[in-house]
Amino acid sequence: MIVNHRPSKSLQLAEKINPFGAVPLTPFRSISASIQAGAIAVLISVAGMPIAQSQDVAPKKIVDIPDSLFQVQDQDGFFWQLTGNGALTSGETQYLQSGMNLLVDNAVFAPGEALVRAPGEGVSKIDAVFTETRKDLVISRDVWIDTKRSGVRFFDSIKNTGANPVDVVVVLRTTYPFGWQSLHDTGGDLLSSDPVLRLDENDNGLTVHFSPAEGRHDTLFLTGTDAEGGEPALQASTNSRELTFQYNLSIKAGETASLYHWMMQRNLQSPASAAEVIPQFSQRNQLINPGVSSLQAVSVVNFPRSAFPDETAAPSRLRELLALNELMDQIGWHRRRTDAHWLGQTNQISGELSRTGSLTITGNEFGERVVPLAQIAAIRGNSGNEMKPFLYLRNGEVLTGDLAEAKFDWKVGESTKSLSIDEIQLLLLGTEVSDGAPPAKATHFVKFSSGVILAVDGSSSEPLDYTASWGAGQISLSDLVELGYISSPNPGFILRTGAGSVFNAFLPMESGSFKGLDGKTIEFPMVMLDAIWKTGATSLEVSARSGQWIEFAEIPKSIAPAGGFLLSGNTVLAGRFEDEMIAFNDGRASLSVATENIVSLTRPGRDAGSDPLRFEIVLKSGDRISGSPVSPLFGIALDGKAIEIPVAYLQSYRAAPGEAKAK
């Protein structure tokens, strides 16, 4: 039998906690499958992610900078157009006339060169660094468009290259084609204008609020505060269309002064809703992923140095804590080096949890385990509900089950209180260097539908049996990059192999097993299996695609094999032709082609009445021919066995570079 059903919470990678104490289950991102009846089922559309974060593309140097560089849309749907002097507009959308236009000593910033990473294939960070050289001054602007958080970071630096101290006036000007309704602090209160427009001592930004009746959204600025006068002087035009931040900087010879800001576009229900946006960029007086190094942060004048986390606060493998990071994204929180008790969106208490002692937890998947508190990154407690507690370990494992009675020494200020698991909502322990480092000998993580994640020794585990549309198969864990479950429109698993194949399959109903790190066998009902991934993975993205891939150029580079077959349903098989020759019909004539001489095989554009099975073939000689395969089936050599696929399902083929033979 094969597994074809799952419990309702089987796709959950992390559990979402709401501020009312309930813990609803949020399914992990799923993808659509199209399984057809017949000799072959059309399989899966999947956008796999690389196991290790790839190097970003190098920025392009531009000396003759055009007036406009590029336009990009962030995840909230707002457009940003980067101009040639580092300012922003809202592109084709009538909203921003000029955002954060930089003026130094009453002269508009006029960069002579720029290093630009525009949106495109392989670009994970969209940014640009502009530089202008003046007499005794070097001015630079670093603009980072963070599409994921839907905000733009500005890092402006002025270096005094002269022999004497200088006083510099820096103005950041934002203009709109229409007037705003009001200006507010990030708490939603109107900005004080007595005696002049200003931010209060505890304000770290402001909101430009427009009339919702006119269908216009708002702008948020994160400006920072500093006890030594680093806050900006605000000026607003009488027609409510121009807002400026002014800084008066005194810079010693050879030194640099920098300004750090964020700008966001948002549809706010009210100005007070800005308080829900700021935690994406700043929490507990520290910036989240500020995008500048600690060395650069030293020169910032409008934020205190303590606002920039040290590099050691973000361990190099922190992104490998997939389940915990998913949970952090869901609640909008960011772990720091300090501990915190998360009670809801509006209540978080900083403190310190004693690391002395250990916890004993018992679960169906792992039996009884004793876990030192020092090895735990987060604890999700009962907090008045009937769900079992979860322990998120620093090595990437997640344990849930029955917890032996335990008390947690929680210190807030000078007061220490003993907490039970029933009093804990979500206890987040500070980051440490060991976060994300998998256990020794671990090759894979296995996730079960209960939420348990265990590290296993894939090199010593038995191969995994599966049934694909072309028949039964087997794959060793050492060859498996990722396995994930989908429930809609048809249930089944997605397998992604190290060779580059991506396909849909079913797993046997019988019990499965993996080898634990202690050498013992972990047995489980196959119906409880939810996902498998290699250690070192920083993301497991499985998403639906709006269209069908018809050629290799459309496949994401992270999963496209060097050579192989693209089939209908976005199925990718990293194999070779099984047959030495393939016969093609071209009208009344027929010709046979040696498969070892085929470089690529693609479907041409279809016209009305054209043969849907006609292919264009490129040979190693450089010749191009076309024709329709005579046989309705063709063979693929895949993982040491031959499978037959209907020609109707073939979209494209390309030979691997340097491949000499077809078999």
Side-chain angles (χ1 to χ4, degrees):
M1 299 179 65
I2 55 177
V3 176
N4 58 6
H5 67 280
R6 303 286 287 167
S8 60
K9 65 175 183 177
S10 65
L11 292 182
Q12 155 213 357
L13 179 61
E15 292 68 32
K16 183 177 181 181
I17 301 178
N18 69 26
F20 307 107
V23 189
L25 299 173
T26 302
F28 186 47
R29 301 178 182 92
S30 60
I31 67 176
S32 60
S34 177
I35 302 181
Q36 302 180 6
I40 178 172
V42 182
L43 306 176
I44 293 300
S45 169
V46 56
M49 296 295 291
I51 286 300
Q53 186 178 15
S54 60
Q55 293 283 337
D56 207 341
V57 298
K60 179 182 178 181
K61 184 176 180 179
I62 302 176
V63 177
D64 188 10
I65 307 174
D67 292 338
S68 295
L69 290 171
F70 58 79
Q71 178 176 277
V72 65
Q73 186 177 22
D74 63 33
Q75 287 197 0
D76 282 355
F78 297 107
F79 287 95
W80 302 96
Q81 174 82 51
L82 185 62
T83 66
N85 69 342
L88 289 171
T89 72
S90 51
E92 299 175 0
T93 304
Q94 188 183 25
Y95 181 70
L96 270 178
Q97 205 165 46
S98 177
M100 296 292 281
N101 203 4
L102 174 61
L103 295 88
V104 179
D105 288 339
N106 293 319
V108 175
F109 180 52
E113 69 174 43
L115 297 173
V116 180
R117 266 188 290 240
E121 184 70 34
V123 177
S124 60
K125 184 178 182 181
I126 303 170
D127 61 357
V129 179
F130 303 86
T131 305
E132 177 190 0
T133 301
R134 299 184 186 178
K135 182 180 180 182
D136 295 337
L137 292 178
V138 174
I139 307 166
S140 68
R141 161 163 280 194
D142 184 338
V143 183
W144 170 32
I145 303 179
D146 187 346
T147 56
K148 182 177 180 180
R149 290 188 288 175
S150 300
V152 181
R153 190 268 289 130
F154 295 87
F155 184 68
D156 300 315
S157 298
I158 297 95
K159 182 177 182 179
N160 179 4
T161 57
N164 301 305
V166 294
D167 293 328
V168 178
V169 178
V170 178
V171 172
L172 304 171
R173 183 172 62 199
T174 299
T175 57
Y176 300 90
F178 34 70
W180 61 72
Q181 181 171 298
S182 51
L183 301 176
H184 301 257
D185 62 26
T186 52
D189 296 329
L190 286 169
L191 285 187
S192 173
S193 57
D194 184 17
V196 294
L197 187 67
R198 60 183 173 84
L199 293 169
D200 290 336
E201 182 179 352
N202 295 323
D203 293 338
N204 63 350
L206 61 92
T207 300
V208 182
H209 178 58
F210 291 89
S211 171
E214 297 176 356
R216 297 183 181 124
H217 56 275
D218 302 328
T219 308
L220 280 70
F221 295 93
L222 187 62
T223 59
T225 56
D226 189 86
E228 299 184 2
E231 69 278 358
L234 304 183
Q235 293 181 350
S237 63
T238 55
N239 64 359
S240 298
R241 293 187 178 185
E242 182 176 298
L243 176 68
T244 62
F245 306 148
Q246 180 174 316
Y247 296 87
N248 298 315
L249 307 179
S250 296
I251 310 174
K252 296 179 181 180
E255 294 189 358
T256 300
S258 302
L259 299 169
Y260 183 94
H261 297 85
W262 279 95
M263 181 181 189
M264 297 82 79
Q265 300 180 66
R266 288 295 189 276
N267 283 309
L268 300 179
Q269 293 183 352
S270 69
S273 300
E276 302 172 5
V277 178
I278 297 302
Q280 300 177 55
F281 303 90
S282 177
Q283 293 177 9
R284 291 182 287 170
N285 299 318
Q286 276 201 321
L287 293 162
I288 296 173
N289 190 14
V292 298
S293 68
S294 57
L295 184 62
Q296 292 173 309
V298 172
S299 64
V300 174
V301 300
N302 61 322
F303 278 88
R305 177 63 187 87
S306 59
F308 295 86
D310 294 332
E311 280 83 354
T312 55
S316 60
R317 306 190 70 166
L318 191 64
R319 294 182 65 234
E320 296 178 31
L321 297 177
L322 298 186
L324 184 54
N325 291 340
E326 181 81 4
L327 180 59
M328 294 299 95
D329 288 343
Q330 290 180 4
I331 67 174
W333 192 250
H334 191 80
R335 290 175 62 223
R336 297 290 193 190
R337 285 184 296 175
T338 56
D339 302 344
H341 190 187
W342 192 92
L343 299 170
Q345 293 291 351
T346 57
N347 293 298
Q348 304 93 30
I349 301 173
S350 296
E352 182 180 354
L353 181 73
S354 172
R355 305 299 200 270
T356 304
S358 59
L359 302 177
T360 301
I361 188 169
T362 305
N364 295 329
E365 298 85 356
F366 52 86
E368 181 179 286
R369 280 183 62 172
V370 178
V371 184
L373 279 166
Q375 296 179 6
I376 298 176
I379 301 170
R380 200 193 75 191
N382 297 332
S383 191
N385 60 67
E386 298 179 355
M387 292 203 63
K388 296 181 183 295
F390 277 70
L391 305 181
Y392 295 83
L393 307 191
R394 297 186 186 276
N395 65 10
E397 293 184 299
V398 178
L399 306 179
T400 183
D402 297 319
L403 189 67
E405 185 175 350
K407 292 293 183 180
F408 303 86
D409 293 333
W410 176 243
K411 184 179 180 181
V412 179
E414 298 301 321
S415 175
T416 300
K417 179 182 178 182
S418 183
L419 298 177
S420 69
I421 194 67
D422 293 333
E423 296 175 285
I424 294 175
Q425 172 77 298
L426 179 61
L427 204 55
L428 299 169
L429 308 188
T431 57
E432 295 182 2
V433 175
S434 60
D435 282 8
K441 294 170 55 174
T443 63
H444 290 74
F445 286 103
V446 178
K447 181 181 178 294
F448 301 93
S449 57
S450 62
V452 168
I453 298 175
L454 299 178
V456 300
D457 179 5
S459 61
S460 302
S461 297
E462 293 295 322
L464 197 64
D465 294 322
Y466 64 84
T467 301
S469 51
W470 52 83
Q474 196 177 68
I475 184 171
S476 64
L477 255 64
S478 59
D479 292 330
L480 182 67
V481 172
E482 180 183 343
L483 178 147
Y485 182 81
I486 62 165
S487 59
S488 176
N490 302 97
F493 286 92
I494 308 160
L495 278 71
R496 178 181 165 206
T497 73
S501 296
V502 180
F503 56 90
N504 179 266
F506 296 105
L507 303 184
M509 181 69 79
E510 293 77 16
S511 296
S513 66
F514 296 109
K515 189 68 70 175
L517 302 183
D518 57 1
K520 297 180 181 179
T521 300
I522 303 171
E523 295 187 355
F524 57 93
M526 193 64 76
V527 73
M528 299 300 293
L529 181 62
D530 193 79
I532 303 174
W533 61 89
K534 273 194 170 183
T535 56
T538 58
S539 181
L540 298 177
E541 294 290 342
V542 184
S543 59
R545 294 198 162 265
S546 58
Q548 294 289 318
W549 300 329
I550 60 174
E551 57 184 33
F552 274 87
E554 298 176 346
I555 304 175
K557 289 185 177 180
S558 58
I559 66 172
F565 300 84
L566 172 60
L567 308 180
S568 299
N570 295 350
T571 301
V572 183
L573 299 181
R576 300 174 178 175
F577 283 109
E578 172 68 17
D579 301 315
E580 294 183 357
M581 305 289 292
I582 294 182
F584 293 89
N585 283 330
D586 182 14
R588 295 183 178 181
S590 63
L591 68 158
S592 294
V593 179
T595 54
E596 66 176 359
N597 291 329
I598 297 177
V599 174
S600 67
L601 188 151
T602 56
R603 292 179 182 265
R606 296 181 184 177
D607 299 324
S610 64
D611 185 352
L613 297 182
R614 191 173 186 83
F615 291 89
E616 290 183 350
I617 305 104
V618 178
L619 304 179
K620 289 183 178 180
S621 63
D623 294 326
R624 294 175 179 267
I625 59 176
S626 62
S628 303
V630 174
S631 173
L633 301 173
F634 71 99
I636 295 178
L638 180 68
D639 299 329
K641 63 183 299 184
I643 62 175
E644 284 194 329
I645 303 293
V647 170
Y649 291 102
L650 178 61
Q651 294 294 327
S652 180
Y653 164 80
R654 70 177 180 187
E659 190 174 69
K661 295 183 178 181
K663 294 181 65 176

